[in-house]
């Protein structure tokens, strides 16, 4: 159901070690006390105790502490499909109990806690939407098409662009456009680290019309250029 790749229960600190990061797995971040600003795709805001921020595989999690904060961070793989962005936990006593368990946790205990958190979030979040499911399938199959747009996607699904954006955000915590951008950038990151293809070829394989435009979007979202990412991400 869920496999834990790593976790950290951090004591109070004035700032995160990195202002943003991206992971190949799901990522969970929650404040035990204090608060922090976050951005995942188009979802952004401030998280305080009781909030859990989820970043999907390949997404970029931006974070900045507003106050001195202790936090729990975990990376995991799962088939449960937790909601992206910030979700408010309704059972705060249960959350406090989970954080207490983590104070001297072994990996099996931490896995149990993360599984419980994801289950709580999945029940709290919006129910599965067949239109959103179809949208996700279409985006994952056609992300390399440079002409892909919200209008085209909505027409394929037989729904208005505004309705599609509203329903998509309710389930995924981001818009279809934001999801498509993050998906394309994740594919670009994979090609940058796993191949020697030029940036123009990578752009053509990920739905961008030119290397220049890919570089501009990549730098804005990742905080570094594609060439810098390729140089620092290879072993």
């Amino acid at each position: 159901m869920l496999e834990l790749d790593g976790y950290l229960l951090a004591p109070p600190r004035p700032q995160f070690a990195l202002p943003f990061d991206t992971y190949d797995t799901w990522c969970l971040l929650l404040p035990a006390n204090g608060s922090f600003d976050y951005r995942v795709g188009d979802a952004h805001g401030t998280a305080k105790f009781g909030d859990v921020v989820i970043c999907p595989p390949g997404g970029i999690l931006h974070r900045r502490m507003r106050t001195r904060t202790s936090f729990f961070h975990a990376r995991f793989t799962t088939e449960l499909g937790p909601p992206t962005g910030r979700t408010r936990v309704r059972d705060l006593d249960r959350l406090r109990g989970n954080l207490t368990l983590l104070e001297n946790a072994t990996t099996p205990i931490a896995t149990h806690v993360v599984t419980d958190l994801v289950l709580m979030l999945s029940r709290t979040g919006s129910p599965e939407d067949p239109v959103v499911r179809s949208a996700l399938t279409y985006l994952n199959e056609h992300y390399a098409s440079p002409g892909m747009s919200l209008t085209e996607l909505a027409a394929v699904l037989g729904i208005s662009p505004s309705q599609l954006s509203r329903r998509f955000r309710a389930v995924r915590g981001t818009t279809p456009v934001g999801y498509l951008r993050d998906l394309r950038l994740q594919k670009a990151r994979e090609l940058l680290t796993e191949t020697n293809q030029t940036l123009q070829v990578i752009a053509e394989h990920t739905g961008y019309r030119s290397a220049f435009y890919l570089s501009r979007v990549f730098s804005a979202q990742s905080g570094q250029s594609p060439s810098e990412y390729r140089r620092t991400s290879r072993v």
Side-chain angles (χ1 to χ4, degrees):
M1 180 180 292
L2 184 147
E3 182 176 346
L4 190 63
D5 295 325
Y7 66 95
L8 170 68
L9 182 62
R13 58 179 63 174
Q15 197 51 263
F16 292 106
L18 297 172
F20 64 87
D21 212 337
T22 183
Y23 307 94
D24 295 331
T25 60
W26 288 93
C27 168
L28 175 154
L29 181 65
L30 66 90
N33 59 53
S35 62
F36 60 82
D37 293 331
Y38 72 92
R39 178 160 63 87
V40 179
D42 292 335
H44 59 89
T46 300
K48 58 183 182 300
F49 177 75
D51 294 326
V52 181
V53 176
I54 295 284
C55 182
I60 301 174
L61 174 59
H62 297 260
R63 59 281 178 108
R64 181 179 64 84
M65 289 184 183
R66 296 176 65 89
T67 62
R68 190 174 180 85
T69 301
S70 61
F71 62 89
F72 176 60
H73 175 265
R75 294 176 288 106
F76 58 94
T77 54
T78 182
E79 299 177 355
L80 293 174
T84 300
R86 179 186 62 190
T87 303
R88 185 71 180 171
V89 174
R90 294 174 181 169
D91 192 342
L92 296 183
D93 288 337
R94 184 171 166 185
L95 176 59
R96 291 188 185 94
N98 278 330
L99 291 175
T100 299
L101 288 174
L102 288 168
E103 291 176 359
N104 297 292
T106 60
T107 297
I109 291 175
T111 301
H112 164 76
V113 168
V114 174
T115 301
D116 190 52
L117 287 170
V118 171
L119 287 172
M120 281 196 290
L121 298 181
S122 299
R123 291 165 185 160
T124 300
S126 301
E128 182 67 9
D129 187 322
V131 170
V132 174
R133 185 166 59 244
S134 296
L136 288 168
T137 299
Y138 194 85
L139 289 170
N140 280 280
E141 291 177 351
H142 298 87
Y143 70 88
S145 171
M148 171 63 62
S149 67
L150 177 62
T151 300
E152 174 189 334
L153 178 60
V156 168
L157 299 174
I159 189 173
S160 72
S162 60
Q163 286 181 314
L164 175 57
S165 288
R166 177 177 54 79
R167 291 170 67 169
F168 198 99
R169 183 187 288 277
V171 175
R172 300 294 301 189
T174 187
T175 64
V177 173
Y179 178 86
L180 177 61
R181 180 199 60 219
D182 290 345
L183 177 60
R184 285 172 167 171
L185 290 176
Q186 173 58 18
K187 298 297 183 181
R189 283 191 288 270
E190 292 174 1
L191 293 173
L192 284 167
T193 56
E194 297 173 7
T195 76
N196 291 315
Q197 294 175 347
T198 66
L199 191 59
Q200 179 60 41
V201 171
I202 292 175
E204 294 169 358
H205 288 170
T206 54
Y208 292 99
R209 298 185 185 278
S210 69
F212 172 77
Y213 187 55
L214 169 57
S215 180
R216 188 172 70 177
V217 176
F218 194 100
S219 299
Q221 293 297 315
S222 302
Q224 57 183 162
S225 68
S227 59
E228 290 171 333
Y229 180 84
R230 170 174 268 172
R231 184 176 64 253
T232 58
S233 298
R234 285 184 166 179
V235 177

